[in-house]
Amino acid sequence: MGLIGVIAQHGYAIVAIVMFLAAAGLPLPTSIVLLGAGAAAHNGLKLDIIFPLAWASAVLGDTLLYFGGRYTGWWLLAGMCRFSINPEACIFSSSAYFYRRGSKTLLFAKWVPGLASMAAPLAGSLNMKFSRFFRLDAAGNLFYVSVWVTAGYLFSRFLNEIMGWIQRVGHAFLLIGALLVAGYAVSIVVFSIRARKYNKIDKISAANLQERLQNLHPDKLVIIADVRSHGYYDPGMQRIKNSIRVEPTRLKEELIALREFMAPECEIYLYCSCIRDTTSKRVAHMLEQENCKTQVIDGGLKAWVKAGGELELVPLADIQHLPRFE
């Protein structure tokens, strides 16, 4: 039984589940399912049920992510990008797209890979009013669903022929799919190999650093640098007390200012809030290329908080004031 036959038999449930889970962040082929649902309308499914069901499921999934972004800020976005090769790039490419185009991004977000599941939590994290979000998101989903379902209904004959052809050359498609999976696996391996150069970076536990600071000679210069990306900052966020801001995306410029504080006996400690201290290690490696000896706080800000370290609010001057929909 082909895809269209499966959808014709279990159509309503498949459409609702796929649209909801895809809106909630899972990488599912919504366009193919909607095409199949439209084509299956010739085999028993009713368009007057498919349209509102698909639309409502997508809007419900987006609404959940909207409130997730509203109440968790960037934490949800970081979680959604956690398994990407470069989580930081995943977040900022989507957010930059949203920031440049504003709230109308919701009208076409479903058509942009990656942005489809990121737009709703971004709208929530930027404090867009729910009424405005719902209006734009509902319109965008209605357009998306209408185009694909209508195309499936109008071109059902061609879809059946395509599905038949796919079944005949199924082994070739499996091979292509396997190659794509293998390519992704290779990219992960290459990324991991490149990251090995960071394994030699010196680390220090939060508890050991606190003990070291307590027993520090008054004349000893110590710099604790916060290298988290600006985009992770929400109003009211905290950092290690007396730490300074070092922007990892413009490190060369930051080095010019940082060298004014540095002396041969200066101690520099870096921390971030990402998985496996990736950003801290990367910055430490770059600083070592400039003959600046550093150590990374193992576990970053979370480890510091867990060890009972002192905190302070992030100064307003260090917060990137992102557009907010008040």
Side-chain angles (χ1 to χ4, degrees), residues 8-322:
Q9 186 173 351
H10 309 285
Y12 300 130
I14 290 177
V15 169
I17 292 172
V18 169
M19 295 304 296
F20 174 78
L21 293 179
L26 293 183
L28 298 176
T30 54
S31 57
I32 294 176
V33 170
L34 292 174
L35 280 171
H42 292 285
N43 298 328
L45 292 189
K46 296 181 179 180
L47 288 176
D48 57 351
I49 296 179
I50 294 174
F51 277 111
L53 182 65
W55 171 82
S57 299
V59 171
L60 178 59
D62 286 344
T63 300
L64 290 178
L65 286 188
Y66 166 85
F67 283 110
R70 186 70 174 265
Y71 294 110
T72 68
W74 291 87
W75 175 85
L76 176 61
L77 297 173
M80 293 174 68
C81 287
R82 182 173 183 176
F83 298 105
S84 65
I85 294 177
N86 190 336
E88 211 169 83
C90 169
I91 293 175
F92 290 115
S93 61
S94 298
S95 59
Y97 198 101
F98 197 95
Y99 302 151
R100 287 196 303 269
R101 292 162 177 80
S103 59
K104 292 183 179 178
T105 300
L106 292 167
L107 293 173
F108 54 84
K110 293 298 182 186
W111 301 91
V112 182
L115 185 62
S117 58
M118 301 289 281
L122 277 169
S125 67
L126 297 180
N127 204 36
M128 181 186 292
K129 289 183 178 180
F130 177 70
S131 58
R132 187 178 185 184
F133 161 78
F134 185 84
R135 184 173 65 254
L136 292 171
D137 185 69
N141 275 302
L142 180 61
F143 178 64
Y144 182 82
V145 168
S146 298
V147 168
W148 287 115
V149 172
T150 301
Y153 182 80
L154 295 177
F155 301 105
S156 61
R157 182 170 63 86
F158 298 103
L159 288 176
N160 280 307
E161 293 177 359
I162 291 173
M163 292 302 172
W165 179 76
I166 290 176
Q167 289 177 353
R168 290 192 294 272
V169 295
H171 293 297
F173 275 88
L174 286 175
L175 177 60
I176 294 173
L179 290 174
L180 290 175
V181 172
Y184 180 78
V186 169
S187 66
I188 292 292
V189 171
V190 171
F191 183 80
S192 300
I193 292 175
R194 287 181 176 178
R196 284 184 179 179
K197 60 186 177 183
Y198 302 143
N199 292 339
K200 297 180 180 179
I201 299 297
D202 289 337
K203 286 187 173 186
I204 185 171
S205 70
N208 287 342
L209 178 55
Q210 290 179 39
E211 182 179 351
R212 187 176 184 83
L213 293 175
Q214 291 174 358
N215 300 321
L216 194 67
H217 191 276
D219 296 332
K220 185 71 173 181
L221 178 61
V222 172
I223 295 175
I224 301 179
D226 179 355
V227 296
R228 293 176 295 170
S229 296
H230 269 147
Y232 285 100
Y233 286 163
D234 286 327
M237 284 194 69
Q238 296 179 309
R239 69 181 187 183
I240 294 177
K241 188 175 181 179
N242 297 324
S243 61
I244 67 170
R245 174 72 197 145
V246 174
E247 172 56 58
T249 59
R250 51 190 302 272
L251 190 59
K252 290 185 178 180
E253 294 84 351
E254 297 280 348
L255 264 177
I256 297 176
L258 190 60
R259 284 188 187 280
E260 297 179 5
F261 296 96
M262 291 190 293
E265 66 277 7
C266 174
E267 297 180 8
I268 303 176
Y269 302 97
L270 308 176
Y271 73 92
C272 61
S273 58
C274 50
I275 300 172
R276 294 185 294 275
D277 306 312
T278 305
T279 302
S280 295
K281 291 179 180 178
R282 177 168 58 86
V283 173
H285 178 76
M286 295 174 69
L287 287 174
E288 288 190 355
Q289 301 304 306
E290 300 291 333
N291 297 319
C292 301
K293 186 63 177 177
T294 64
Q295 284 186 289
V296 169
I297 300 177
D298 193 11
L301 185 61
K302 289 183 179 179
W304 181 266
V305 172
K306 189 175 181 180
E310 292 186 274
L311 301 172
E312 65 182 9
L313 289 176
V314 173
L316 292 177
D318 283 340
I319 296 178
Q320 181 177 350
H321 296 283
L322 304 175

